[in-house]
Amino acid sequence: MSGLILPVLEQASGVLVMSLVLADIFLTVLYARIGTGLIADRIAHLTWAIFRAAADAAGQKRGAVLSFCGPVILIVYVLLWALGLTLGAGLIIHPALGVAVRASSGETPADFMTALYAGGSSMAIVGASDFKPVTDSYRILYLVNSLVGMSATSLVLTYVMQVYSALRQRNALGLKLHLLTGESADAAELLARLGPQGQFSSGYTHLADLAASLSEMKEAHHFYPVLFYFRFRQPFYSVSAQVFVALDTVSLIRSGIGGRQAHG
């Protein structure tokens, strides 16, 4: 009896692992809202804690160490999802080795490492596997695995490209604010440049463009929370520096309007 229960439990564990990984990919890549990931968010927090501890120990090179955190988190995401899907497929295929899944030639090994290899091969979108299904149910499993592997690969590659596109836009906004403040991070300097001698006829357009860019940046960070972990040595690229300049600018504008209304 136990000989029948253990394979079923192993395969059920494989289905559960694959379901968790696919749900995490869905919530991270497709649903794309901050704080919804099942595994990825926790892995990102853990990776950030490790990098922060290493950066504190690095002393003057703290900024250089932290600048690698964002790219490393993306690599960890890809490895986590790939290994998770491979593990799930391996758990499902393991009990079937030598029975429903056999080697193309020779005797079929039945160890778990072989199952992982067969599971990973069943999800690969290129290349041929040394193992092939010999029953209809496992042929369908291999077909489903190949579709899952192809879809997951496409989604993850698209996600990485979108993250870097959003990061480029954030950096462009940071550089724009940096230049508009005369490289001083001073909101008063920004307003002085946008409205020389109090003439804001063209400055209003620039302020509207900045407001639109800030809105896009905010939404991008809701879609791709991993952006928060991308840091650069230049402080004007950081979200906090950009938001500080923007809020300081709004405060100066509101105080100026309030002052004119009070004297009016």
Side-chain angles (χ1 to χ4, degrees):
M1 187 69 176
S2 60
L4 295 175
I5 295 176
L6 288 178
V8 172
L9 289 177
E10 185 176 13
Q11 291 182 322
S13 300
V15 172
L16 178 61
V17 170
M18 290 189 70
S19 299
L20 286 175
V21 173
L22 290 174
D24 193 49
I25 294 175
F26 171 79
L27 292 173
T28 303
V29 178
L30 295 178
Y31 190 68
R33 299 306 294 175
I34 191 169
T36 57
L38 297 176
I39 306 172
D41 284 349
R42 292 170 175 79
I43 291 297
H45 293 325
L46 177 60
T47 306
W48 171 252
I50 294 172
F51 266 87
R52 189 170 58 184
D56 291 339
Q60 294 182 349
K61 295 186 177 181
R62 184 176 188 274
V65 173
L66 290 177
S67 66
F68 286 96
C69 185
V72 168
I73 288 177
L74 282 181
I75 293 174
V76 171
Y77 279 2
V78 174
L79 292 177
L80 171 71
W81 292 331
L83 292 176
L85 292 175
T86 299
L87 175 61
L91 288 169
I92 295 173
I93 291 175
H94 185 218
L97 284 176
V99 182
V101 177
R102 297 175 185 172
S104 301
S105 60
E107 186 178 353
T108 304
D111 58 282
F112 189 67
M113 289 303 298
T114 301
L116 286 178
Y117 173 74
S121 300
S122 71
M123 308 197 74
I125 59 177
V126 293
S129 173
D130 297 332
F131 299 87
K132 59 181 181 180
V134 296
T135 64
D136 290 340
S137 59
Y138 276 85
R139 290 190 184 100
I140 294 175
L141 174 65
Y142 265 59
L143 175 61
V144 171
N145 282 354
S146 65
L147 293 175
V148 168
M150 179 179 62
S151 301
T153 301
S154 300
L155 287 173
V156 171
L157 290 177
T158 302
Y159 175 76
V160 171
M161 290 189 293
Q162 289 175 339
V163 166
Y164 275 96
S165 176
L167 181 63
R168 181 187 61 80
Q169 292 177 357
R170 188 186 82 181
N171 286 358
L173 175 60
L175 181 59
K176 184 176 182 179
L177 288 171
H178 181 62
L179 295 176
L180 284 174
T181 60
E183 303 182 4
S184 65
D186 187 352
E189 182 66 24
L190 185 149
L191 286 176
R193 289 169 177 265
L194 293 181
Q197 299 180 351
Q199 300 299 319
F200 281 91
S201 56
S202 62
Y204 290 128
T205 302
H206 289 292
L207 287 173
D209 290 341
L210 287 175
S213 298
L214 285 166
S215 299
E216 291 177 0
M217 183 190 71
K218 177 180 180 293
E219 190 60 24
H221 283 71
H222 278 287
F223 260 69
Y224 313 112
V226 70
L227 288 172
F228 285 108
Y229 300 101
F230 279 83
R231 296 171 62 95
F232 297 88
R233 299 184 186 183
Q234 298 88 343
F236 56 83
Y237 285 132
S238 68
V239 177
S240 56
Q242 296 175 32
V243 173
F244 172 79
V245 172
L247 293 178
D248 201 16
T249 302
V250 171
S251 297
L252 290 175
I253 293 173
R254 288 176 63 88
S255 63
I257 294 175
R260 286 199 302 269
Q261 290 177 343
H263 289 87

